[in-house]
Amino acid sequence: MKIVALAGGVGGAKLAHGLAQILPPEDLTIIVNTGDDFEHLGLYISPDLDTVCYTLAGLANPDTGWGRVNETWNAIANIEKLGGPNWFRLGDQDIATHIERTRRLKEGQSLSQITRDFCKAWGVRHTVLPMSDQPVRTIVETDEGDLPFQEYFVHRRCQPRVKGFRFDGVDSAEPTAGAREAIQSADAIIICPSNPWVSIDPILRVLFPNSYPLTPIIAISPIIGGQTVKGPAAKMFAELGINPSALAVAEHYENFLTGIVVDSVDSELAKQIRIPTLVTDTLMKSNADRARLAQETLHFIGNLP
Ligand code: GDP
Protein backbone atom coordinates (compact mmCIF):
# COMPACT_ATOMS: atom_id res chain seq x y z
CA MET A 1 0.00 0.00 0.00
CA LYS A 2 1.44 3.38 -1.02
CA ILE A 3 1.02 6.01 1.68
CA VAL A 4 1.58 9.73 1.94
CA ALA A 5 1.77 10.87 5.57
CA LEU A 6 1.34 14.51 6.56
CA ALA A 7 3.26 15.38 9.70
CA GLY A 8 4.11 18.16 12.10
CA GLY A 9 6.71 17.59 14.80
CA VAL A 10 6.52 15.32 17.81
CA GLY A 11 3.14 13.59 17.30
CA GLY A 12 3.61 13.40 13.56
CA ALA A 13 7.12 11.99 13.82
CA LYS A 14 5.98 9.16 16.09
CA LEU A 15 3.37 7.86 13.65
CA ALA A 16 5.68 8.45 10.67
CA HIS A 17 8.22 6.26 12.44
CA GLY A 18 5.54 3.60 12.99
CA LEU A 19 4.71 3.63 9.28
CA ALA A 20 8.41 3.50 8.39
CA GLN A 21 8.80 0.37 10.52
CA ILE A 22 6.19 -1.38 8.36
CA LEU A 23 6.29 0.06 4.85
CA PRO A 24 9.21 -0.29 2.43
CA PRO A 25 10.92 3.01 1.51
CA GLU A 26 9.30 3.20 -1.93
CA ASP A 27 5.81 3.02 -0.37
CA LEU A 28 6.03 5.89 2.14
CA THR A 29 6.43 9.63 1.56
CA ILE A 30 6.25 11.92 4.56
CA ILE A 31 5.36 15.55 3.84
CA VAL A 32 6.32 17.82 6.71
CA ASN A 33 5.12 21.23 7.89
CA THR A 34 7.58 24.09 7.43
CA GLY A 35 5.27 26.84 8.69
CA ASP A 36 7.16 26.70 12.02
CA ASP A 37 10.52 27.40 10.34
CA PHE A 38 12.34 30.54 11.40
CA GLU A 39 15.67 32.25 11.55
CA HIS A 40 17.42 32.41 14.87
CA LEU A 41 21.05 33.30 15.68
CA GLY A 42 21.50 33.72 11.94
CA LEU A 43 20.56 30.08 11.37
CA TYR A 44 17.69 28.60 9.38
CA ILE A 45 15.80 26.30 11.73
CA SER A 46 13.18 23.81 10.57
CA PRO A 47 11.87 22.25 13.80
CA ASP A 48 9.27 19.83 12.41
CA LEU A 49 11.51 18.62 9.60
CA ASP A 50 14.32 17.94 12.06
CA THR A 51 12.03 16.19 14.54
CA VAL A 52 10.75 13.86 11.80
CA CYS A 53 14.24 13.15 10.41
CA TYR A 54 15.87 12.64 13.82
CA THR A 55 13.03 10.33 14.85
CA LEU A 56 13.25 8.21 11.68
CA ALA A 57 17.04 8.08 12.06
CA GLY A 58 16.84 6.96 15.70
CA LEU A 59 18.67 10.14 16.72
CA ALA A 60 15.79 11.89 18.56
CA ASN A 61 15.76 12.57 22.27
CA PRO A 62 13.21 10.05 23.60
CA ASP A 63 12.36 12.23 26.63
CA THR A 64 11.42 15.41 24.78
CA GLY A 65 10.52 14.00 21.36
CA TRP A 66 12.46 16.89 19.79
CA GLY A 67 16.20 17.55 19.62
CA ARG A 68 18.96 14.96 19.70
CA VAL A 69 19.63 12.05 22.04
CA ASN A 70 22.84 12.33 24.15
CA GLU A 71 22.87 16.06 23.51
CA THR A 72 25.23 18.61 25.09
CA TRP A 73 24.49 22.33 25.47
CA ASN A 74 27.86 24.09 25.34
CA ALA A 75 27.12 26.43 22.46
CA ILE A 76 23.87 27.82 23.87
CA ALA A 77 25.43 28.17 27.36
CA ASN A 78 28.23 30.24 25.87
CA ILE A 79 25.85 32.32 23.76
CA GLU A 80 23.93 33.02 26.99
CA LYS A 81 27.16 34.08 28.74
CA LEU A 82 27.76 36.57 25.95
CA GLY A 83 24.31 38.04 26.47
CA GLY A 84 22.77 36.40 23.40
CA PRO A 85 19.21 35.03 23.20
CA ASN A 86 18.70 31.72 24.98
CA TRP A 87 14.94 31.23 24.82
CA PHE A 88 15.15 28.75 21.96
CA ARG A 89 17.17 25.80 23.22
CA LEU A 90 19.60 24.45 20.64
CA GLY A 91 21.88 21.53 21.48
CA ASP A 92 25.39 21.22 20.10
CA GLN A 93 24.67 18.36 17.69
CA ASP A 94 21.45 20.03 16.59
CA ILE A 95 23.26 23.31 15.92
CA ALA A 96 25.52 21.48 13.46
CA THR A 97 22.40 20.60 11.43
CA HIS A 98 21.31 24.25 11.33
CA ILE A 99 24.77 25.59 10.46
CA GLU A 100 25.20 23.19 7.56
CA ARG A 101 21.63 23.70 6.33
CA THR A 102 22.03 27.48 6.44
CA ARG A 103 25.33 27.30 4.57
CA ARG A 104 23.75 25.23 1.80
CA LEU A 105 20.66 27.43 1.55
CA LYS A 106 22.95 30.43 1.14
CA GLU A 107 24.68 28.58 -1.70
CA GLY A 108 21.30 28.35 -3.40
CA GLN A 109 20.37 24.73 -2.66
CA SER A 110 16.72 23.99 -1.94
CA LEU A 111 15.39 22.84 1.42
CA SER A 112 14.16 19.61 -0.17
CA GLN A 113 17.58 18.85 -1.71
CA ILE A 114 19.29 19.51 1.62
CA THR A 115 16.75 17.34 3.44
CA ARG A 116 17.36 14.51 0.96
CA ASP A 117 21.13 14.72 1.52
CA PHE A 118 20.79 14.91 5.31
CA CYS A 119 18.45 11.92 5.33
CA LYS A 120 20.99 9.94 3.32
CA ALA A 121 23.75 10.87 5.76
CA TRP A 122 21.57 9.87 8.73
CA GLY A 123 20.48 6.58 7.17
CA VAL A 124 16.82 7.57 6.67
CA ARG A 125 15.59 5.51 3.71
CA HIS A 126 11.97 6.69 3.45
CA THR A 127 11.25 9.90 1.56
CA VAL A 128 10.88 13.02 3.71
CA LEU A 129 9.77 16.18 1.91
CA PRO A 130 9.32 19.67 3.31
CA MET A 131 5.83 20.78 2.21
CA SER A 132 7.35 23.52 0.07
CA ASP A 133 10.73 24.98 -0.86
CA GLN A 134 9.22 28.45 -0.62
CA PRO A 135 8.75 30.13 2.74
CA VAL A 136 5.40 29.83 4.51
CA ARG A 137 5.29 31.42 7.95
CA THR A 138 2.65 30.60 10.52
CA ILE A 139 1.47 33.66 12.41
CA VAL A 140 -0.60 33.19 15.55
CA GLU A 141 -3.16 35.98 15.92
CA THR A 142 -3.56 36.55 19.66
CA ASP A 143 -5.11 39.00 22.10
CA GLU A 144 -1.58 40.43 22.42
CA GLY A 145 -1.17 40.91 18.68
CA ASP A 146 0.22 38.80 15.86
CA LEU A 147 3.08 36.53 16.88
CA PRO A 148 5.39 34.49 14.63
CA PHE A 149 4.88 30.85 15.57
CA GLN A 150 8.07 30.22 17.59
CA GLU A 151 7.62 33.52 19.40
CA TYR A 152 4.18 32.29 20.51
CA PHE A 153 5.12 28.65 21.06
CA VAL A 154 8.53 28.77 22.72
CA HIS A 155 9.24 32.33 23.82
CA ARG A 156 5.72 33.09 25.10
CA ARG A 157 4.99 29.43 26.07
CA CYS A 158 1.59 29.52 24.32
CA GLN A 159 0.25 31.94 26.96
CA PRO A 160 -1.39 34.59 24.76
CA ARG A 161 -5.00 33.81 23.89
CA VAL A 162 -5.43 32.60 20.32
CA LYS A 163 -7.85 34.41 18.01
CA GLY A 164 -6.83 32.88 14.68
CA PHE A 165 -3.99 31.80 12.41
CA ARG A 166 -2.42 33.10 9.23
CA PHE A 167 0.06 31.39 6.93
CA ASP A 168 2.08 34.14 5.28
CA GLY A 169 3.32 33.16 1.82
CA VAL A 170 0.98 30.20 1.50
CA ASP A 171 -0.75 31.47 -1.64
CA SER A 172 2.48 31.61 -3.62
CA ALA A 173 4.11 28.48 -2.14
CA GLU A 174 4.25 25.47 -4.46
CA PRO A 175 4.33 21.90 -3.14
CA THR A 176 7.87 20.49 -3.25
CA ALA A 177 8.91 18.49 -6.29
CA GLY A 178 7.78 14.93 -5.74
CA ALA A 179 4.88 15.78 -3.42
CA ARG A 180 2.24 15.92 -6.17
CA GLU A 181 3.49 12.68 -7.75
CA ALA A 182 3.50 10.93 -4.38
CA ILE A 183 -0.08 12.06 -3.76
CA GLN A 184 -1.19 10.99 -7.23
CA SER A 185 0.15 7.47 -6.78
CA ALA A 186 -0.88 7.09 -3.13
CA ASP A 187 -3.53 4.59 -2.04
CA ALA A 188 -4.22 6.78 0.98
CA ILE A 189 -3.15 9.95 2.72
CA ILE A 190 -2.66 9.70 6.47
CA ILE A 191 -2.89 12.83 8.60
CA CYS A 192 -0.63 12.05 11.54
CA PRO A 193 -1.70 12.98 15.11
CA SER A 194 -0.30 16.47 14.80
CA ASN A 195 -1.74 19.85 15.74
CA PRO A 196 -4.57 20.47 13.21
CA TRP A 197 -4.31 24.27 13.42
CA VAL A 198 -0.59 24.87 13.08
CA SER A 199 0.98 21.64 11.85
CA ILE A 200 -1.55 20.14 9.40
CA ASP A 201 -3.55 23.12 8.09
CA PRO A 202 -0.48 24.79 6.53
CA ILE A 203 0.39 21.55 4.70
CA LEU A 204 -3.20 21.16 3.46
CA ARG A 205 -3.24 24.76 2.25
CA VAL A 206 -0.04 24.23 0.23
CA LEU A 207 -0.90 20.80 -1.18
CA PHE A 208 -4.61 21.29 -1.84
CA PRO A 209 -5.26 25.01 -2.42
CA ASN A 210 -8.44 24.48 -4.44
CA SER A 211 -9.77 20.98 -3.99
CA TYR A 212 -8.98 17.70 -2.29
CA PRO A 213 -7.95 14.54 -4.13
CA LEU A 214 -10.27 11.53 -4.36
CA THR A 215 -7.69 9.43 -2.49
CA PRO A 216 -8.94 8.31 0.94
CA ILE A 217 -7.72 10.67 3.67
CA ILE A 218 -7.50 9.29 7.19
CA ALA A 219 -6.60 11.24 10.33
CA ILE A 220 -5.40 10.07 13.73
CA SER A 221 -6.74 12.31 16.48
CA PRO A 222 -4.06 14.17 18.44
CA ILE A 223 -6.70 14.86 21.10
CA ILE A 224 -7.20 12.03 23.59
CA GLY A 225 -9.91 12.37 26.22
CA GLY A 226 -10.25 16.08 25.47
CA GLN A 227 -6.54 16.75 26.02
CA THR A 228 -3.36 16.89 24.03
CA VAL A 229 -0.50 14.55 24.79
CA LYS A 230 1.75 17.59 24.46
CA GLY A 231 1.44 21.08 23.09
CA PRO A 232 -1.31 23.67 22.66
CA ALA A 233 -3.81 22.01 20.26
CA ALA A 234 -6.54 21.57 22.93
CA LYS A 235 -5.96 25.09 24.26
CA MET A 236 -6.28 26.44 20.70
CA PHE A 237 -9.60 24.65 20.12
CA ALA A 238 -10.94 25.96 23.43
CA GLU A 239 -9.82 29.55 22.82
CA LEU A 240 -11.49 29.46 19.42
CA GLY A 241 -14.74 28.44 21.13
CA ILE A 242 -14.64 24.75 20.19
CA ASN A 243 -14.79 22.00 22.80
CA PRO A 244 -11.49 20.12 22.29
CA SER A 245 -12.17 16.48 21.47
CA ALA A 246 -11.63 13.79 18.87
CA LEU A 247 -15.06 14.82 17.52
CA ALA A 248 -13.80 18.38 17.08
CA VAL A 249 -10.82 17.00 15.15
CA ALA A 250 -13.18 15.02 12.88
CA GLU A 251 -15.26 18.16 12.33
CA HIS A 252 -12.16 20.26 11.68
CA TYR A 253 -11.34 17.98 8.73
CA GLU A 254 -14.95 17.14 7.80
CA ASN A 255 -14.90 18.55 4.25
CA PHE A 256 -12.55 15.88 3.01
CA LEU A 257 -11.93 13.21 5.66
CA THR A 258 -12.71 9.58 4.78
CA GLY A 259 -12.04 8.02 8.18
CA ILE A 260 -10.60 8.79 11.58
CA VAL A 261 -8.71 6.90 14.29
CA VAL A 262 -9.59 7.88 17.86
CA ASP A 263 -8.40 6.66 21.22
CA SER A 264 -10.15 3.95 23.22
CA VAL A 265 -10.94 6.47 25.98
CA ASP A 266 -13.11 8.28 23.41
CA SER A 267 -15.19 5.23 22.45
CA GLU A 268 -18.47 6.85 23.61
CA LEU A 269 -17.70 10.07 21.73
CA ALA A 270 -16.82 8.04 18.62
CA LYS A 271 -20.51 7.15 18.24
CA GLN A 272 -21.19 10.79 17.32
CA ILE A 273 -18.63 10.77 14.47
CA ARG A 274 -20.36 10.29 11.15
CA ILE A 275 -17.47 8.85 9.12
CA PRO A 276 -15.85 5.40 9.53
CA THR A 277 -13.99 5.44 12.84
CA LEU A 278 -11.37 3.11 14.28
CA VAL A 279 -11.28 3.10 18.08
CA THR A 280 -7.98 1.86 19.47
CA ASP A 281 -5.11 2.81 21.78
CA THR A 282 -3.43 5.77 20.13
CA LEU A 283 -0.94 6.83 22.80
CA MET A 284 2.49 5.95 21.42
CA LYS A 285 4.91 5.40 24.29
CA SER A 286 7.26 2.94 22.60
CA ASN A 287 8.50 2.04 19.14
CA ALA A 288 6.23 -1.00 19.29
CA ASP A 289 3.21 1.26 20.00
CA ARG A 290 4.07 3.32 16.93
CA ALA A 291 4.30 0.26 14.68
CA ARG A 292 1.08 -1.23 16.09
CA LEU A 293 -0.91 1.99 15.57
CA ALA A 294 0.50 2.32 12.05
CA GLN A 295 -0.40 -1.29 11.27
CA GLU A 296 -3.93 -0.93 12.64
CA THR A 297 -4.40 2.27 10.65
CA LEU A 298 -3.29 0.55 7.42
CA HIS A 299 -5.65 -2.34 8.16
CA PHE A 300 -8.49 0.14 8.77
CA ILE A 301 -7.74 1.83 5.43
CA GLY A 302 -7.69 -1.56 3.68
CA ASN A 303 -11.17 -2.31 5.01
CA LEU A 304 -12.79 1.07 4.29
CA PRO A 305 -16.04 0.77 2.32
P1 GDP B 1 4.80 19.81 17.29
O1 GDP B 1 4.99 20.58 16.01
O2 GDP B 1 6.08 19.29 17.88
O3 GDP B 1 3.86 20.44 18.29
O4 GDP B 1 4.15 18.45 16.87
P2 GDP B 1 2.84 17.92 16.24
O5 GDP B 1 1.91 18.96 15.76
O6 GDP B 1 3.21 16.80 15.31
O7 GDP B 1 2.27 17.19 17.48
C1 GDP B 1 1.55 17.77 18.51
C2 GDP B 1 0.32 16.94 18.74
O8 GDP B 1 0.67 15.57 18.79
C3 GDP B 1 -0.36 17.25 20.03
O9 GDP B 1 -1.65 17.70 19.75
C4 GDP B 1 -0.36 15.92 20.77
O10 GDP B 1 -1.54 15.69 21.48
C5 GDP B 1 -0.18 14.92 19.68
N1 GDP B 1 0.49 13.69 20.12
C6 GDP B 1 1.74 13.59 20.60
N2 GDP B 1 2.00 12.31 20.91
C7 GDP B 1 0.90 11.59 20.61
C8 GDP B 1 0.55 10.21 20.71
O11 GDP B 1 1.33 9.36 21.14
N3 GDP B 1 -0.71 9.85 20.29
C9 GDP B 1 -1.61 10.76 19.81
N4 GDP B 1 -2.82 10.31 19.44
N5 GDP B 1 -1.31 12.07 19.72
C10 GDP B 1 -0.08 12.47 20.10
Side-chain angles (χ1 to χ4, degrees), residues 115-129:
T115 304
R116 188 158 51 236
D117 291 349
F118 284 10
C119 280
K120 198 165 172 215
W122 288 325
V124 174
R125 292 166 57 234
H126 297 78
T127 304
V128 180
L129 301 176

Side-chain angles (χ1 to χ4, degrees), residues 7-14 33 36 48 51 66 149 153 192-196 198-200 220-224 227-234 263 282-285 293:
V10 175
K14 287 199 269 181
N33 173 41
D36 300 2
D48 287 355
T51 297
W66 56 269
F149 182 73
F153 187 62
C192 291
S194 289
N195 187 317
V198 292
S199 293
I200 300 299
I220 291 88
S221 174
I223 308 269
I224 300 180
Q227 292 178 334
T228 44
V229 180
K230 186 190 155 282
D263 196 83
T282 68
L283 189 60
M284 295 170 278
K285 290 189 186 152
L293 181 57

Side-chain angles (χ1 to χ4, degrees), residues 126-288:
H126 297 78
T127 304
V128 180
L129 301 176
M131 65 187 191
S132 178
D133 279 325
Q134 283 102 44
V136 176
R137 293 295 167 262
T138 299
I139 305 293
V140 187
E141 299 167 344
T142 78
D143 58 353
E144 298 178 37
D146 293 356
L147 298 172
F149 182 73
Q150 298 300 342
E151 185 67 27
Y152 163 83
F153 187 62
V154 180
H155 204 182
R156 303 294 313 278
R157 294 165 200 245
C158 310
Q159 276 159 358
R161 226 183 136 74
V162 168
K163 298 202 306 199
F165 305 95
R166 204 172 74 228
F167 308 114
D168 286 354
V170 78
D171 293 333
S172 48
E174 289 285 323
T176 352
R180 280 204 185 97
E181 294 76 1
I183 288 163
Q184 264 157 19
S185 58
D187 296 302
I189 297 168
I190 296 180
I191 298 180
C192 291
S194 289
N195 187 317
W197 301 102
V198 292
S199 293
I200 300 299
D201 283 355
I203 308 178
L204 295 173
R205 286 281 302 277
V206 171
L207 297 182
F208 313 121
N210 304 314
S211 61
Y212 291 94
L214 297 174
T215 322
I217 307 183
I218 281 76
I220 291 88
S221 174
I223 308 269
I224 300 180
Q227 292 178 334
T228 44
V229 180
K230 186 190 155 282
K235 181 174 180 282
M236 289 170 170
F237 273 105
E239 288 174 358
L240 294 167
I242 305 164
N243 189 28
S245 68
L247 176 63
V249 175
E251 287 173 351
H252 185 85
Y253 297 133
E254 72 183 347
N255 290 342
F256 57 84
L257 206 62
T258 317
I260 187 163
V261 182
V262 308
D263 196 83
S264 308
V265 303
D266 292 314
S267 57
E268 271 307 305
L269 190 76
K271 294 176 187 159
Q272 296 176 46
I273 300 177
R274 289 189 299 260
I275 52 172
T277 303
L278 170 67
V279 181
T280 186
D281 295 339
T282 68
L283 189 60
M284 295 170 278
K285 290 189 186 152
S286 64
N287 284 350

Side-chain angles (χ1 to χ4, degrees), residues 61-98:
N61 179 339
D63 300 326
T64 53
W66 56 269
R68 296 278 293 258
V69 67
N70 299 324
E71 187 58 288
T72 54
W73 304 90
N74 296 305
I76 196 78
N78 281 280
I79 288 166
E80 193 174 353
K81 251 183 217 154
L82 296 171
N86 65 351
W87 58 268
F88 197 86
R89 308 296 295 166
L90 292 171
D92 297 330
Q93 300 178 85
D94 193 28
I95 279 186
T97 304
H98 311 315

